[in-house]
Amino acid sequence: MRFQILGPTTVLGDDGEPVALGGPRVRALLTLLALHAGRVVGADRLAAGLYGPEPPEGVANALQSQVSRLRRALGRDLVEFHPAGYWLAVEPSDVDAHRFERLAAAGRRALAAGDPGRAAGLLREALELWRGAPLADAPHAEDAASALEELRLAATEDRVQADLDLGRHRELAAELRGLVAAHPLRERPRAQLMRALYGSGRQAEALTVYDEARRLLDEELGVAPGPELAAAHLAVLRADPALGAPAPAAPQRQGLPAQLTSFVGRDRELAQVSARLRADRLVTLIGPGGAGKTRLAVEAAGQEPQDVCFVPLAPVTEGADVAAAVLAALDVRDALRPAADRPVNPLTRLATALAGRELLLVLDNCEHLVEATAELTDLLLASCPGLRVLVTGREALGITGESILPVAPLRLPPAEAVEPLDYPAVRLFADRAGAVSPGFAVNAVNAAHVVRICRALDGLPLAIELAAARLRTMSVADVAARLDDRFRLLARGSRTALPRHQTLRAVVAWSWDLLDADEQRMARRFSVFVGGARPETAERVCGLPEEVLFSLAEKSLVERVDGRYRMLATIQAFCAERLAESGEVAAARDAHAACCLDLVLAADERLRTREQLEWLARLDEESDDVNAALRWATETGQVETALRLLAHCACYWWMRGHRVTSADLAATLLLRLGAAVPEGLEEEYVTCAVVTAWRGEVGDEVRDLIAHSRTLLPWNHLPRRVEFLMMLLSMYNGPRGDFEQAYLDVQRTMAGLTPWPRALAYAGAAFVLQVLGRVEEAAGHFHESLARFKAIGERWGTVLVLSGLGTLHQEQGDYATAYALADESLAIARELKATTEIAESLCRRGDALQCLGRPEEARADYLPAAELAGRNGSVEILAWALLGLAEVALRGGATEEARSLLLRARAECPDDWYSTADTRARIAAALTELDGQVSGAVSDR
């Protein structure tokens, strides 16, 4: 426990929380015992301290009663009885008064030993223990309280002396004036005040202090100043070097605004600004409106050791007035009688005023005055060697020596963040929300809404603060639900903020109004891009040279990330409004769709070559835009464009495992088309139906359309336009009936095929031969297919064939080889980032491990396979993984778990896919085995 008597008496438990003590008599008793901690205090002394010089009758019983109450509060072991009285059984160091005396004595010794730095630290620590009047709860202990006050005053004087020895004269003058006023007849503080004033360059004031002291001592006491005060007077008169050199002046902070809110989430950026300012004389913070450039500049300037002048340029409207604004911020005034015939240029006056100063000049919000600010900054840096400049704006000044530091939005959590408060954007929202809605905290109930708000607002600090402010009248869920109309929602900012910072719309409108006509055209047309664009793509879709896009980037309307340019969602929403007002929506969206179609046509044929990884990555970049183009073409009835976009994305979607989104897009298009197949687009229509079927669960109308599509092309149709349809048809329709004839049909088509279809045809023939039981021939065809896929560098086909070979060896009982092949296909699938094939390879490896008698390892493969397949909508693989888990559970005797998993697997498994026939058969067999085990158990009873 910790005992505090230098102020109201309190006791802090081991957890730091206050201990309830009871009434005033108990507190007085504790105060007296703590004052003599570790020593016996006589009963008479305690009684006098509790009740004064006239104690009541039966004082002994009264004292005992208070002791009993104190023991109940602290514990019996801490308040011990002694024949001579009572004592508090704690170490003196547990009582603040004793710690104070020990620290003050140590500080005094350090001061005498010539170590003022250590002395100042010890004495400050001692004085910080005081919380008010000492022994405040023991009103009859006046003598002890006076003694402590005297010790406190002496410690304060010692600490002042240590600070004077350290040269902190300017910091001490005001404090010493207060000390002298409180103790006018005490000579040591007056001598110290004289020294502090002298060290601050105020020798005349120091001598006045002596004169006042001499007069007061004579009038009040009839004595002359003592030796210490007289010596200080003589030293000041002689300018004695022993008085010490004055400390450096405290840095000036001209115009630097004090902040009313905490600074959240910018520690790394703050360190970067400080590092840049040490290395460079001109640092410019650039970023979109609301990114927090001004606040970062203010915080960075506040940490600088030299003078700082903050110049807000937002109210300045003309470039010619920039210099005048800086002069006003520096408090450089016009001459009282300016010479009419010799007017002084403001730039000259500035250069003269700053020529000999070490100063950090902060020029804030200069984007509307870039040219004038650049000229002024260039001139001042050239003529004032001690000057450094920190600029904030939405574009750089563009002058030699400029160090540009982009200020990005706050780091955002992923949509499914486990610990959202680890991310600065969420911490800022929580901090500002707590200010308007006391008690608000991010928790499991509201975390998803908070994350959605922060992500939708791109992590822009101003937007997040505006959203948090809405919690005064709305719930977090309501704010999150209304973000589609963000400009209306976030329209109530601080009344004292600049007009352009009071609403989210005003923030973006300010930047928009600074653009020229071509820049505005580029910005509004660029809003059709969902995931950003490369410069050449933007030039084609927007119809303007890419240099205009670069200009937007320089003005923070778009940002460059890994060679692509993108808009923050808030800026994009504003520019989309401007696009709608211009009447250019249809033209821009059509140009965007045409560009996306050309891209997927070029990419599709390369996805099945050794350029596969490069083009998969390219389509990853453009995926959101391609999906948006497909939606636009579908909504506007451009069915040919929509069908071609979808059909030539099928291979990419399959390889990347994008089942859910692609199936939804395809279903929407299929319903719009109905059973009417556009002429010459049969392959594209069937592809659309197959992609729709990826989802598994579909409505009756869609199911009928899928069934209709099966009649349009045979399973062994050789596509002329949509090459990947060859694989899709065989997987979904497959040879129905005569497998011998199917094998012959495949053989007849091989000769005229190009490399990828031919490699796939060998694999198809191998699968048919496997069904026919011609194992050696099947293995030969698989190896031929594998060699051909490897020759053209096609990894997905390689995974397909390795999987087929693995199944062949699994069926022959060669489980070790099946395991090795599954492991090899898994490694390639991971390189390809093909999530469906990763899940499938895990299932195949799990099957092999089961047969090798390693069920726990098998389970460890089925579990991630189920998670992956469930996430990307690969229902056939999910059914397989659930089946594998059920088989492991069944072998382990967990029949209820096995039944639950099997029923789930049966529900997930498509019943009309050719490729899922084996899975359906295994599920049925496992359920039959399970029913047999249950029946057997019942009969045994």
Side-chain angles (χ1 to χ4, degrees):
M1 288 185 175
R2 292 282 182 177
F3 298 84
Q4 299 175 327
I5 59 176
L6 296 178
T9 299
T10 59
V11 178
L12 301 179
D14 294 337
D15 58 357
E17 293 298 316
V19 175
L21 295 176
R25 300 284 189 203
V26 176
R27 293 177 179 278
L29 175 61
L30 176 58
T31 303
L32 297 170
L33 290 172
L35 183 61
H36 303 89
R39 291 180 291 163
V40 176
V41 186
D44 292 343
R45 192 172 181 181
L46 290 173
L50 283 174
Y51 302 105
E54 298 180 3
E57 291 185 12
V59 68
N61 291 334
L63 175 60
Q64 178 60 45
S65 175
Q66 300 304 327
V67 169
S68 297
R69 290 188 177 96
L70 183 58
R71 283 173 170 167
R72 284 197 295 271
L74 300 182
R76 187 173 188 83
D77 293 343
L78 288 185
V79 183
E80 295 192 7
F81 172 74
H82 187 275
Y86 298 91
W87 66 302
L88 188 65
V90 298
E91 294 294 328
S93 59
D94 291 332
V95 181
D96 59 357
H98 295 285
R99 288 204 306 280
F100 164 72
E101 291 184 32
R102 178 173 52 81
L103 289 166
R108 192 174 304 114
R109 289 193 297 271
L111 186 61
D115 189 353
R118 183 167 181 270
L122 289 167
L123 290 161
R124 276 194 173 82
E125 185 180 352
L127 291 165
E128 285 169 359
L129 295 171
W130 286 70
R131 299 172 298 108
L135 314 184
D137 285 302
H140 300 295
E142 299 94 335
D143 292 344
S146 296
L148 284 169
E149 286 283 13
E150 179 62 28
L151 288 174
R152 179 188 193 182
L153 184 54
T156 301
E157 292 171 351
D158 287 341
R159 194 267 305 158
V160 168
Q161 189 61 47
D163 283 340
L164 285 171
D165 292 347
L166 292 169
R168 296 168 179 160
H169 302 79
R170 287 184 173 86
E171 301 170 27
L172 292 167
E175 179 186 359
L176 282 166
R177 285 198 183 279
L179 203 57
V180 166
H183 305 279
L185 299 177
R186 199 172 178 96
E187 294 191 31
R188 190 182 183 197
R190 286 188 181 273
Q192 290 173 331
L193 176 57
M194 292 175 67
R195 182 177 172 185
L197 291 169
Y198 174 82
S200 302
R202 298 153 69 182
Q203 185 177 11
E205 291 180 63
L207 294 171
T208 300
V209 169
Y210 177 78
D211 290 338
E212 291 173 352
R214 182 177 59 184
R215 185 175 62 254
L216 182 65
L217 289 169
D218 182 56
E219 291 174 356
E220 295 288 335
L221 304 176
V223 298
E228 184 175 8
L229 193 55
H233 179 235
L234 186 59
V236 171
L237 288 173
R238 293 176 175 176
D240 191 338
L243 290 173
Q252 296 183 40
R253 298 287 188 255
Q254 292 176 282
L256 194 65
Q259 300 302 304
L260 302 178
T261 57
S262 58
F263 187 57
V264 179
R266 291 289 195 192
D267 293 342
R268 183 175 61 85
E269 291 89 342
L270 190 57
Q272 288 178 331
V273 176
S274 297
R276 294 285 186 96
L277 286 171
R278 288 192 297 271
D280 304 294
R281 294 181 60 208
L282 171 60
V283 177
T284 302
L285 307 182
I286 63 168
K293 302 180 294 295
T294 296
R295 182 62 185 271
L296 180 59
V298 168
E299 296 291 336
Q303 292 187 352
E304 289 300 300
Q306 67 185 129
D307 291 348
V308 173
C309 180
F310 182 89
V311 186
L313 293 178
V316 180
T317 58
E318 298 295 333
D321 295 332
V322 173
V326 178
L327 284 168
L330 287 166
D331 201 23
V332 177
R333 303 180 183 182
D334 293 335
L336 292 177
R337 294 183 179 179
D341 58 336
R342 294 196 307 275
V344 181
N345 185 292
L347 292 177
T348 304
R349 292 177 61 210
L350 260 181
T352 302
L354 297 176
R357 291 190 65 178
E358 297 283 334
L359 176 75
L360 173 64
L361 183 65
V362 183
L363 302 176
D364 183 51
N365 282 320
C366 71
E367 56 270 355
H368 58 305
L369 304 165
V370 171
E371 186 174 342
T373 305
E375 292 176 359
L376 171 69
T377 302
D378 193 44
L379 183 148
L380 292 179
L381 288 172
S383 56
C384 307
L387 180 68
R388 293 180 300 157
V389 181
L390 177 61
V391 177
T392 75
R394 304 186 189 186
E395 64 177 300
L397 297 184
I399 60 178
T400 303
E402 182 177 26
S403 177
I404 301 171
L405 184 60
V407 179
L410 293 171
R411 191 163 59 93
L412 289 166
E416 304 297 330
V418 177
E419 296 291 345
L421 285 169
D422 288 346
Y423 297 85
V426 175
R427 291 204 301 275
L428 178 66
F429 183 91
D431 181 84
R432 302 303 191 256
V436 300
S437 178
F440 175 85
V442 177
N443 54 41
V445 176
N446 61 30
H449 296 307
V450 173
V451 168
R452 180 170 182 266
I453 290 168
C454 293
R455 288 176 60 84
L457 298 177
D458 304 299
L460 282 173
L462 179 62
I464 289 171
E465 290 177 335
L466 290 171
R470 294 312 305 265
L471 296 193
R472 284 192 294 264
T473 55
M474 301 172 67
S475 70
V476 182
D478 288 338
V479 173
R482 287 168 167 77
L483 284 173
D484 288 342
D485 192 4
R486 67 187 65 203
F487 295 120
R488 181 180 178 187
L489 175 70
L490 306 181
R492 296 181 182 177
S494 171
R495 291 187 177 92
T496 60
L498 291 170
R500 69 170 188 254
H501 283 167
Q502 290 182 0
T503 71
L504 189 61
R505 182 183 298 280
V507 171
V508 188
W510 170 259
S511 296
W512 175 267
D513 291 340
L514 297 175
L515 304 179
D516 64 29
D518 276 349
E519 289 168 340
Q520 289 184 349
R521 275 191 288 273
M522 173 63 85
R524 67 180 182 244
R525 293 171 186 174
F526 192 85
S527 68
V528 300
F529 289 102
V530 178
R534 296 184 176 189
E536 62 274 16
T537 306
E539 180 174 306
R540 173 182 167 181
V541 171
C542 299
L544 291 160
E546 61 181 18
E547 286 74 16
V548 184
L549 178 67
F550 300 153
S551 179
L552 291 180
E554 290 171 357
K555 295 181 178 181
S556 302
L557 266 293
V558 298
E559 60 179 353
R560 183 177 181 273
V561 181
D562 298 329
R564 294 175 63 80
Y565 291 79
R566 63 180 289 268
M567 277 180 170
L568 297 179
T570 296
I571 297 174
Q572 185 179 23
F574 182 91
C575 292
E577 289 182 356
R578 306 289 78 73
L579 182 67
E581 291 170 359
S582 71
E584 297 176 345
V585 172
R589 295 293 297 272
D590 285 348
H592 177 252
C595 185
C596 288
L597 178 58
D598 287 348
L599 171 69
V600 299
L601 290 173
D604 187 33
E605 63 186 34
R606 293 173 172 85
L607 289 179
R608 295 172 295 280
T609 69
R610 64 182 66 257
E611 299 176 69
Q612 186 173 60
L613 294 181
E614 174 189 343
W615 281 92
L616 282 170
R618 178 67 193 280
L619 287 177
D620 287 342
E621 291 180 359
E622 307 290 353
S623 177
D624 290 340
D625 277 278
V626 170
N627 292 348
L630 176 53
R631 289 190 187 94
W632 168 255
T634 302
E635 291 167 4
T636 54
Q638 301 177 59
V639 294
E640 179 177 350
T641 298
L643 277 172
R644 294 179 73 200
L645 271 168
L646 186 143
H648 291 282
C649 284
C651 180
Y652 166 72
W653 287 335
W654 183 274
M655 289 184 178
R656 279 291 189 250
H658 293 178
R659 298 288 190 89
V660 177
T661 300
S662 57
D664 289 343
L665 291 168
T668 302
L669 177 57
L670 189 63
L671 286 170
R672 184 176 185 94
L673 291 166
V677 182
E679 185 177 353
L681 296 174
E682 293 80 6
E683 290 179 5
E684 289 80 358
Y685 182 94
V686 172
T687 303
C688 180
V690 173
V691 173
T692 303
W694 286 352
R695 187 69 180 270
E697 288 292 331
V698 294
D700 292 340
E701 184 179 0
V702 172
R703 187 178 297 278
D704 290 344
L705 291 171
I706 293 172
H708 169 65
S709 74
R710 293 181 187 275
T711 66
L712 299 177
L713 298 173
W715 73 272
N716 58 350
H717 171 76
L718 296 179
R720 297 192 307 276
R721 296 179 306 280
V722 187
E723 189 176 68
F724 195 66
L725 182 60
M726 180 177 176
M727 190 284 299
L728 295 176
L729 280 173
S730 62
M731 178 167 287
Y732 283 90
N733 292 350
R736 309 273 177 168
D738 190 347
F739 284 92
E740 289 285 357
Q741 185 59 48
Y743 173 69
L744 294 175
D745 290 343
V746 173
Q747 288 292 98
R748 278 197 298 270
T749 62
M750 281 189 186
L753 296 177
T754 54
W756 187 84
R758 191 166 190 180
L760 184 65
Y762 271 105
F767 283 116
V768 173
L769 289 168
Q770 185 177 353
V771 173
L772 292 171
R774 294 157 62 176
V775 176
E776 294 299 325
E777 292 177 78
H781 280 70
F782 273 132
H783 284 292
E784 179 65 25
S785 175
L786 186 62
R788 289 178 179 274
F789 277 128
K790 287 185 175 180
I792 61 176
E794 212 279 78
R795 296 165 183 80
W796 180 86
T798 300
V799 171
L800 173 73
V801 177
L802 288 172
S803 298
L805 272 172
T807 300
L808 192 64
H809 284 279
Q810 182 87 2
E811 291 175 351
Q812 300 305 306
D814 185 0
Y815 306 124
T817 302
Y819 174 89
L821 289 166
D823 206 46
E824 184 181 352
S825 70
L826 178 61
I828 298 172
R830 283 174 170 158
E831 179 189 9
L832 197 57
K833 298 179 183 177
T835 54
T836 299
E837 280 64 35
I838 292 170
E840 180 180 346
S841 297
L842 285 168
C843 286
R844 291 189 185 281
R845 196 169 71 173
D847 287 354
L849 285 166
Q850 276 203 78
C851 295
L852 288 169
R854 294 151 65 182
E856 287 307 312
E857 293 177 68
R859 187 173 185 276
D861 275 351
Y862 291 132
L863 283 171
E867 194 275 331
L868 268 177
R871 195 167 65 224
N872 70 19
S874 301
V875 289
E876 78 284 13
I877 307 301
L878 175 58
W880 187 351
L882 293 171
L883 166 65
L885 288 169
E887 290 172 339
V888 171
L890 187 59
R891 303 296 179 267
T895 55
E896 289 305 314
E897 179 187 356
R899 181 179 298 280
S900 174
L901 288 165
L902 285 169
L903 293 176
R904 280 185 61 200
R906 187 171 65 182
E908 294 288 351
C909 189
D911 57 8
D912 56 351
W913 293 15
Y914 172 77
S915 60
T916 59
D918 181 63
T919 303
R920 293 196 299 273
R922 281 176 60 186
I923 293 170
L927 283 169
T928 301
E929 180 183 347
L930 180 62
D931 290 340
Q933 286 188 13
V934 173
S935 299
V938 172
S939 62
D940 288 343
R941 293 176 191 163

